[in-house]
């Protein structure tokens, strides 16, 4: 099973938009996809509840909830036939929380927007991720940036471009500031599920993201290492101060 973590310690960076669209894109490609929502706002799970039944199925795990009748590891375990697990992580994770959330990850994607505040926050988040021993110690983990809601030929877009040049991290794709994302999320769909003519200008970015994820999966010679369920539980406890059930 491939584990893909969408992360950024700053709220409002586009983690849920990326998570749900990635899950929908992978499901459309035939992956048996599960979406684990660790954000207490539960936006990914609300999106999934609205998802039309005739679209490729996605399993949902409300990781922000706690059931005293179940162990924490059981609550966070995806269905046995899952081939790809996408994690939508909460804002506000410190270095320990980032390390816990990304433990065992095969791919880490960080959406970054172009404002000064977003870039400043991303700098600290990237530093914490790269300094985390578990993030850098395994060759099976990969880190990519998604430039989010970018308007071409604007000061903000150029500022983000200069910022990203400072890191030896691939920019996997650039997402336009497009109303298509709002339309799709409101109806439980991914951008991939909308008519091609409607989203033609946005499809290329998601082709790039899916190809990047697929290349990582193909190049990996062994399953992701590390205690998957313990790592996820750790992220929840560190973020919300919860103890495992």
């Amino acid at each position: 099973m491939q584990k893909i973590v969408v992360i950024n310690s700053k709220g409002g960076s586009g983690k849920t938009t990326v998570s749900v669209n990635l899950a929908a894109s992978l499901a459309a490609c035939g992956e048996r996809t599960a979406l684990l929502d660790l954000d207490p706002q539960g936006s990914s799970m609300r999106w999934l509840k609205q998802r039309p039944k005739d679209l490729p199925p996605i399993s949902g795990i409300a990781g922000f909830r706690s059931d005293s009748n179940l162990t924490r590891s059981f609550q966070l375990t995806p269905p046995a036939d899952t081939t790809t697990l996408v994690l939508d992580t909460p804002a506000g994770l410190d270095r320990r929380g980032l390390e816990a959330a990304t433990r065992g990850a095969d791919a880490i994607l960080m959406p970054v927007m172009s404002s000064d505040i977003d870039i400043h926050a991303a700098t600290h988040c990237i530093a914490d991720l790269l300094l985390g021993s578990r993030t850098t110690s395994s060759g099976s983990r990969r880190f990519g940036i998604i430039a989010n809601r970018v308007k071409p030929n604007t000061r903000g877009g150029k500022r983000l471009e200069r910022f990203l040049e400072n890191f030896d991290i691939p920019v996997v794709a650039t997402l336009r500031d497009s109303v298509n994302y709002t339309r799709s999320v409101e109806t439980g769909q991914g951008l991939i599920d909308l008519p091609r003519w409607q989203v033609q200008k946005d499809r290329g970015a998601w082709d790039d993201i899916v190809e990047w994820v697929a290349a990582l999966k193909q190049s990996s010679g062994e399953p992701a290492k590390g205690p998957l369920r313990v790592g996820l539980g750790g992220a929840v406890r560190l973020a919300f101060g919860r103890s495992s059930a």
Side-chain angles (χ1 to χ4, degrees), residues 34-176:
L35 180 59
L36 172 55
D37 191 351
L38 293 175
D39 190 336
Q41 294 183 16
S43 299
S44 288
M45 292 300 98
R46 285 196 298 275
W47 171 84
L48 195 55
K49 285 182 179 179
Q50 299 179 74
R51 186 164 175 78
K53 300 299 183 183
D54 59 340
L55 294 178
I58 298 170
S59 300
I61 307 168
F64 54 88
R65 293 177 183 158
S66 182
D67 187 340
S68 59
N69 296 317
L70 301 172
T71 63
R72 191 66 188 153
S73 61
F74 182 83
Q75 292 177 63
L76 297 176
T77 301
D81 64 346
T82 300
T83 59
T84 305
L85 175 66
V86 178
L87 277 74
D88 183 7
T89 61
L93 293 178
D94 60 11
R95 185 178 298 177
R96 292 175 60 206
L98 292 168
E99 183 179 331
T102 56
R103 187 175 302 143
D106 299 287
I108 301 170
L109 284 168
M110 179 186 289
V112 180
M113 296 175 65
S114 62
S115 74
D116 283 328
I117 294 175
D118 284 272
I119 290 175
H120 179 74
T123 301
H124 289 283
C125 189
I126 291 171
D128 286 342
L129 280 168
L130 295 181
L131 288 172
S133 60
R134 287 184 176 86
T135 300
T136 59
S137 62
S138 173
S140 67
R141 296 184 177 91
R142 298 292 184 268
F143 186 14
I145 287 176
I146 296 175
N148 189 29
R149 296 182 64 181
V150 175
K151 296 180 179 179
N153 302 318
T154 62
R155 184 179 302 175
K158 293 177 181 178
R159 180 171 53 236
L160 180 58
E161 183 179 350
R162 289 194 299 270
F163 162 73
L164 295 177
E165 288 174 353
N166 294 323
F167 296 94
D168 187 21
I169 302 170
V171 179
V172 178
T174 298
L175 306 185
R176 296 190 318 134

Side-chain angles (χ1 to χ4, degrees), residues 17 21 148 174-186 189 191 194 202 205-206:
T17 297
N21 276 280
N148 189 29
T174 298
L175 306 185
R176 296 190 318 134
D177 186 10
S178 172
V179 70
N180 286 327
Y181 292 104
T182 303
R183 290 171 178 166
S184 62
V185 168
E186 288 177 347
Q189 299 178 85
L191 188 138
L194 298 178
D202 299 306
W206 288 99

Side-chain angles (χ1 to χ4, degrees), residues 221-244:
E222 57 186 3
K225 295 180 179 179
L228 172 63
R229 290 172 292 182
V230 173
L232 298 179
V236 174
R237 291 193 298 274
L238 289 168
F240 314 127
R242 295 175 180 167
S243 60
S244 57

